Amino acid sequence: MRKKFFGNIILIVSAIIAMPVASNAADSREKPELSVEVNEGKPRFIHKNKQFSCSHKINHGGGCTRVSFYAELRGTEITPEGALKKLKLQIGLRDVEIELSSDLKKGSCLFDVVLKHELTHLALHRKVLKRFAPEIAKAVLSTAETIPVPITQAHFNRISNVLKKYVNRMMREDDKQNALMDTGDAYLYQQKQCLNE
């Protein structure tokens, strides 16, 4: 009951000025420091359309949860020698929407059951995000530690490629986990909960 919007991986790069490299700078430089922020996203609730698209289907069980995964470098610090000193990484969800059909009356059993189902999807998206965030951060730091001095745009592109690779892996796992919730049996169970209403 969700549709995945694939966010772009954005690398925001600070201006880099190439400086001459000291003869032993690569041997004596410190490893870069990485700070990571995980953004779980704030949902926007929609309850105005009878029908809407979700995962290329119309009225996908009466509800839909949409998210967009992203990972961005939000800033860097470069030493005077041109070595990476600090990186700020943000990994998260954006464009979070939970939509329920306007055919579902607020306060009804079916409204509550469908809302609970969609909130479970959101919780699962967040769980996958939290599981992958440390792995993504580790891969970025490992790549950053191998970058020679002075750093160039090509080196930042290497970091960007690592981000893309790991975010794609995270989204594939997210698709797999969420698909387990969207089966015919799951929808039948939802409807059975409200038969006596």
Side-chain angles (χ1 to χ4, degrees):
M1 300 243 263
R2 60 162 190 47
K3 180 177 180 183
K4 174 76 51 102
F5 293 115
F6 297 103
N8 291 329
I9 308 302
I10 301 171
L11 183 61
I12 302 171
V13 181
S14 302
I16 303 169
I17 300 173
M19 304 292 280
V21 182
S23 59
N24 64 353
D27 301 330
S28 63
R29 68 184 169 115
E30 291 187 27
K31 292 184 178 185
E33 177 186 318
L34 177 67
S35 61
V36 181
E37 178 187 343
V38 176
N39 175 11
E40 294 186 353
K42 182 177 179 182
R44 182 172 74 97
F45 293 89
I46 305 167
H47 184 239
K48 63 181 181 179
N49 304 307
K50 287 187 176 189
Q51 294 188 344
F52 45 84
S53 178
C54 187
S55 297
H56 310 293
K57 298 176 185 174
I58 300 295
N59 261 20
H60 190 76
C64 186
T65 299
R66 303 177 187 99
V67 301
S68 177
F69 285 90
Y70 72 95
E72 300 172 349
L73 275 182
R74 289 288 178 104
T76 58
E77 272 187 47
I78 311 293
T79 67
E81 296 79 25
L84 266 177
K85 184 177 180 182
K86 292 183 180 179
L87 299 101
K88 293 180 182 178
L89 178 63
Q90 187 177 80
I91 305 168
L93 302 174
R94 63 167 59 117
D95 304 323
V96 179
E97 295 179 340
I98 295 178
E99 184 166 13
L100 299 181
S101 172
S102 60
D103 281 341
L104 300 172
K105 184 180 172 188
K106 282 187 180 180
S108 69
C109 176
L110 199 52
F111 179 93
D112 292 344
V113 167
V114 172
L115 178 60
K116 180 180 177 184
H117 178 90
E118 297 309 323
L119 290 172
T120 304
H121 272 301
L122 179 58
L124 188 51
H125 291 309
R126 289 172 169 171
K127 183 178 179 181
V128 170
L129 173 71
K130 288 179 191 174
R131 186 178 125 209
F132 274 82
E135 186 179 334
I136 293 169
K138 183 178 176 182
V140 167
L141 185 58
S142 176
T143 302
E145 289 174 350
T146 65
I147 290 175
V149 177
I151 188 166
T152 66
Q153 184 60 50
H155 297 131
F156 275 109
N157 292 344
R158 278 177 45 198
I159 295 172
S160 178
N161 289 336
V162 167
L163 282 174
K164 287 178 187 175
K165 175 183 170 186
Y166 278 85
V167 171
N168 285 334
R169 184 182 297 174
M170 176 171 59
M171 290 190 302
R172 283 192 304 272
E173 180 63 22
D174 183 71
D175 283 340
K176 188 166 76 172
Q177 294 296 321
N178 277 278
L180 296 173
M181 290 182 57
D182 290 332
T183 64
D185 288 342
Y187 297 141
L188 187 59
Y189 175 76
Q190 280 181 235
Q191 292 172 356
K192 283 182 178 177
Q193 288 181 319
C194 299
L195 280 178
N196 297 326
E197 189 179 273

